[in-house]
Amino acid sequence: MIKKTLFIFLGIILILMAFSAYNMRGQSTLEVGDKVPSFSLKDQYGKTFDLNDYIGKTPMVIYFYPKDDTPGCTKEACSFRDSYEEFTDRSIEVIGISADDVESHKNFADKYNLPFTLLSDTDNSVRKLFGVKSNMLGLIPGRVTYVINKAGEVIFIYDSQLKATKHIEEALKAIDMSKQ
């Protein structure tokens, strides 16, 4: 009986791993030094955000998170909110992206007084452009932060599913280091 259960468990793991690998086909991971890919998405107000309107004008912190109003994502968003002035003092745009729809982002931003842009990537096309992989055998969308310079080049990447609030600290350190 134990051998049969183990065999079934291993089979399920292999199927999940194959499914995860299949879902990641064609995704290239963005690396430090790469140009950020162009994209347009709707923000929490239903307005179109076009990245090309910001390239050459301002540095950005673009962070991908799994889902609005979940414990880790709320802590991360509120940490960005609480440190928002540190970013704006450096003339840096903060942009959060998840697969939640515009209405969900609006409710999330209103509930927690989030002063920055939240973008709705309902088909995960931008997540795929950046190569943000899912974690936990492909079941949970990844949590990755990119620091983009004014020229549109990636200068720092922080990838940690579990250390949601550390994304802010690491982004600010990278920004400060880039000015030295």
Side-chain angles (χ1 to χ4, degrees):
M1 183 67 175
I2 293 175
K3 286 183 181 181
K4 184 178 179 182
T5 304
L6 182 60
F7 180 75
I8 291 170
F9 176 74
L10 290 174
I12 291 170
I13 296 295
L14 287 172
I15 289 168
L16 288 172
M17 288 173 64
F19 178 74
S20 178
Y22 176 79
N23 282 338
M24 296 308 293
R25 289 179 312 140
Q27 288 190 359
S28 60
T29 303
L30 215 54
E31 296 179 3
V32 171
D34 289 348
K35 272 288 221 198
V36 67
S38 295
F39 67 86
S40 293
L41 292 171
K42 297 284 184 191
D43 70 12
Q44 69 263 40
Y45 305 107
K47 295 180 182 175
T48 299
F49 173 96
D50 187 337
L51 183 71
N52 293 323
D53 293 340
Y54 294 83
I55 301 296
K57 296 177 184 167
T58 185
M60 292 169 273
V61 170
I62 299 174
Y63 79 97
F64 289 85
Y65 63 100
K67 186 156 182 55
D68 289 344
D69 224 2
T70 56
C73 297
T74 299
K75 286 178 187 173
E76 182 179 27
C78 289
S79 292
F80 270 113
R81 177 202 62 205
D82 296 345
S83 299
Y84 188 64
E85 194 171 303
E86 292 184 64
F87 290 100
T88 57
D89 285 350
R90 294 167 172 89
S91 300
I92 295 169
E93 289 287 327
V94 175
I95 299 145
I97 302 176
S98 81
D100 294 296
D101 63 23
V102 169
E103 184 178 349
S104 177
H105 281 338
K106 176 84 169 88
N107 293 337
F108 187 49
D110 288 349
K111 183 176 182 179
Y112 295 103
N113 298 312
L114 305 178
F116 49 86
T117 301
L118 296 177
L119 299 178
S120 180
D121 185 23
T122 56
D123 64 359
N124 288 311
S125 59
V126 175
R127 182 176 288 275
K128 289 175 185 168
L129 271 177
F130 277 69
V132 178
K133 294 176 175 46
S134 295
N135 297 306
M136 307 284 193
L137 298 173
L139 301 175
I140 299 173
R143 182 186 312 279
V144 181
T145 297
Y146 297 86
V147 177
I148 314 296
N149 67 16
K150 190 175 179 178
E153 297 167 340
V154 177
I155 62 167
F156 179 76
I157 301 169
Y158 185 72
D159 182 348
S160 175
Q161 189 73 11
L162 301 177
K163 296 179 181 178
T165 59
K166 193 151 175 81
H167 286 253
I168 294 81
E169 175 187 332
E170 294 298 322
L172 286 167
K173 273 198 262 184
I175 290 161
D176 290 342
M177 293 295 292
S178 72
K179 295 186 182 222
Q180 293 180 0

